[in-house]
Amino acid sequence: MNSPEPREPVFQLFACCIPVQGARRSVICDVQRQSFQFIPNGLYEILTGHAGRTVAEIQAAYEHEYDEEIEEYFDFLLRHEFGFWCDDPERFPPLDLTWQAPERITNAILDVDAGSEHDYAKILGELDGLRCKALEVRCFHGPSLGELRAILEPTQRGRLRSIDLLVGFHPELTLEALAALAVEQPRISSVIVHSAPERLRPPPSRAGVTFEYRTEVIGSPGCCGRVHPGYFVVNLETFAEAQRHNTCLNRKISVDARGEIKNCPSMARSFGNARETSLHAALAHRDFAALWEINKDRIEVCKDCEFRYICTDCRAYLQDGRDLYSKPSKCTYDPYTAEWLSSAERPAFAGQTKGECG
Amino acid sequence: MKKKMERIDDKLFRPLSEAEQRRVHGSVTTYTAVTLYETTTSTGGFDSVRDGDHE
């Protein structure tokens, strides 16, 4: 009796290499190596619609019209280490992209300017009570070293894991002084000094803290919300979160420079002032978490974009301010042509102060 | 409908250059907590410890 003919191997993507289709082209997001690579939508179709088929079967499915292109595709996938040949693809299930977090709030923004009258101990204590693990402090003015220490003092204890500082230049904020501050406050993970007299970007400290001096003025929350490849985040946490949640606002709480508690300091709606309202009470408002579920699949244009699961989004500055599901106004990418518009074609957006934000 | 198979070496599919990925000056974009943590901790990888790993 003849044994059955051995089956040709089939191509299997590594589970961490996840294809995402866009209107004009697709990407493979490698959430382990934290990178992405563009691919044709035809290859996306092969990887998803023809998964588990041999090359010969795929070429036959396209009636041998694209045999050469299809072979090039698999050479490309192997060359970039996106997958492997195997006989048993059923043994390699996809990643579970369910996203969960035990914290009620995972991240927070605290804005400060020269006129702020925050009760830092109260705000940071309440953030700790919400189990917040990441804090961004944005000082639009140039605080002295003493003021910066006073802001950070209540974070000495508690469960914050990272503090990112954005501060205006002050003569006391030398690189040596900031490096010493980062040693005193090991939760500091990055420091950006804006409005600096000169640009400076030294190597990260031994603890991995990054320091950067920029000459540009970052003088208001209006400088936030830009969508750009430099801000894309390719990792499993963000990719999984983006499947069902908004990658900017999910589990975020903010206190603006006047103390107003908001989803984002750039948004108009306040859920109370931190002097009179606790963060817990603001969070308990039935509308507070409403924006958390606006994932990119629900946003006009973004839902057709290949970057939708690695983009950080913005719900504050929108092309149509009356439509919460409108594309971010500071995104100049057109997924239907796969082109970034030049700055001259960039749509205007509200909230940006003239002369700021580059 | 089957898609047209474009050549993989078309300029549409070339990787972004360093310059194209450089952040826009003078702007800030906030990330979620995990992003902040992951991207600022250079040791992220097999040996990194996450919530729940030892529960």
Side-chain angles (χ1 to χ4, degrees):
Chain A
M1 201 172 100
N2 292 336
S3 57
E5 189 108 347
R7 198 169 185 270
E8 289 287 313
V10 299
F11 191 83
Q12 178 67 34
L13 282 173
F14 292 120
C16 59
C17 298
I18 309 171
V20 180
Q21 187 176 26
R24 178 65 187 88
R25 63 182 172 185
S26 299
V27 288
I28 292 179
C29 295
D30 186 334
V31 296
Q32 184 166 303
R33 286 180 291 190
Q34 307 199 351
S35 62
F36 65 87
Q37 176 77 46
F38 297 111
I39 59 168
N41 280 347
L43 176 51
Y44 175 88
E45 185 176 84
I46 287 173
L47 291 170
T48 54
H50 298 279
R53 290 190 178 179
T54 66
V55 174
E57 287 169 342
I58 295 168
Q59 288 173 330
Y62 288 92
E63 298 166 342
H64 299 286
E65 192 181 341
Y66 298 113
D67 284 3
E68 199 178 326
E69 285 85 351
I70 290 169
E71 285 192 14
E72 281 178 3
Y73 287 172
F74 286 108
D75 287 345
F76 164 87
L77 293 170
L78 274 182
R79 196 169 61 250
H80 287 85
E81 299 177 314
F82 286 135
F84 58 99
W85 297 104
C86 71
D87 299 317
D88 44 6
E90 66 281 357
R91 292 192 177 192
F92 302 95
L95 286 176
D96 179 359
L97 293 178
T98 306
W99 183 87
Q100 290 175 320
E103 299 87 5
R104 290 185 67 195
I105 287 294
T106 58
N107 65 117
I109 298 176
L110 176 58
D111 279 358
V112 184
D113 65 19
S116 293
E117 295 178 347
H118 294 314
D119 182 343
Y120 295 107
K122 175 180 182 289
I123 293 171
L124 294 166
E126 288 174 2
L127 276 179
D128 194 50
L130 293 168
R131 303 185 182 178
C132 178
K133 58 184 177 182
L135 172 68
E136 181 170 22
V137 179
R138 310 191 302 190
C139 296
F140 299 120
H141 68 307
S144 66
L145 203 53
E147 186 182 350
L148 207 47
R149 279 207 174 92
I151 294 171
L152 295 175
E153 203 282 328
T155 68
Q156 286 280 22
R157 294 158 297 280
R159 63 193 96 198
L160 271 179
R161 288 186 190 173
S162 78
I163 300 172
D164 288 73
L165 290 177
L166 173 76
V167 295
F169 180 76
H170 185 285
E172 290 179 13
L173 301 185
T174 61
L175 184 57
E176 292 73 25
L178 290 175
L181 183 68
V183 171
E184 286 170 31
Q185 296 270 359
R187 290 174 172 87
I188 293 177
S189 55
S190 74
V191 184
I192 296 175
V193 179
H194 66 83
S195 313
E198 58 185 351
R199 201 177 286 272
L200 179 66
R201 193 167 188 175
S205 73
R206 271 195 291 178
V209 183
T210 59
F211 301 93
E212 185 178 357
Y213 287 78
R214 294 183 186 178
T215 54
E216 296 84 2
V217 178
I218 299 177
S220 79
C223 298
C224 190
R226 189 97 61 166
V227 174
H228 185 272
Y231 298 119
F232 288 165
V233 182
V234 194
N235 63 37
L236 180 57
E237 299 288 345
T238 301
F239 195 93
E241 187 178 16
Q243 303 298 308
R244 291 185 181 275
H245 306 287
N246 187 272
T247 43
C248 183
L249 298 180
N250 188 39
R251 306 277 178 112
K252 171 177 271 148
I253 197 165
S254 305
V255 178
D256 76 6
R258 302 280 72 79
E260 301 299 329
I261 305 169
K262 300 176 174 180
N263 291 110
C264 156
S266 293
M267 292 181 151
R269 184 164 185 187
S270 170
F271 292 87
N273 192 287
R275 287 207 161 266
E276 299 99 33
T277 308
S278 72
L279 301 185
H280 297 71
L283 184 59
H285 192 287
R286 65 178 184 175
D287 291 344
F288 194 89
L291 303 175
W292 293 2
E293 311 307 316
I294 302 181
N295 67 350
K296 285 289 200 181
D297 291 314
R298 299 170 65 183
I299 297 171
E300 286 304 318
V301 184
C302 299
K303 65 187 178 187
D304 296 321
C305 180
E306 63 272 26
F307 302 125
R308 64 189 176 276
Y309 302 132
I310 58 176
C311 170
T312 46
D313 195 39
C314 173
R315 291 295 90 205
Y317 302 110
L318 305 175
Q319 281 193 345
D320 179 355
R322 294 159 302 177
D323 180 7
L324 271 176
Y325 298 89
S326 170
K327 179 189 172 185
S329 64
K330 298 191 195 183
C331 174
T332 62
Y333 184 66
D334 181 351
Y336 305 105
T337 59
E339 288 176 350
W340 294 88
L341 301 179
S342 70
S343 56
E345 295 167 280
R346 191 174 296 155
F349 49 84
Q352 183 171 322
T353 311
K354 197 175 176 186
E356 292 176 344
C357 316
Chain B
M1 196 180 84
K2 290 187 174 60
K3 292 217 164 20
K4 180 176 178 287
M5 298 292 147
E6 295 171 281
R7 304 302 293 237
I8 193 81
D9 55 5
D10 188 281
K11 66 176 183 184
L12 188 63
F13 310 116
R14 67 167 176 78
L16 294 179
S17 66
E18 281 288 313
E20 287 170 310
Q21 294 185 67
R22 197 167 297 138
R23 292 184 176 185
V24 184
H25 289 138
S27 72
V28 290
T29 291
T30 59
Y31 299 141
T32 60
V34 170
T35 304
L36 283 168
Y37 185 65
E38 297 279 332
T39 55
T40 54
T41 308
S42 57
T43 53
F46 291 115
D47 54 352
S48 62
V49 178
R50 295 161 190 276
D51 284 353
D53 276 1
H54 304 297
E55 289 173 3

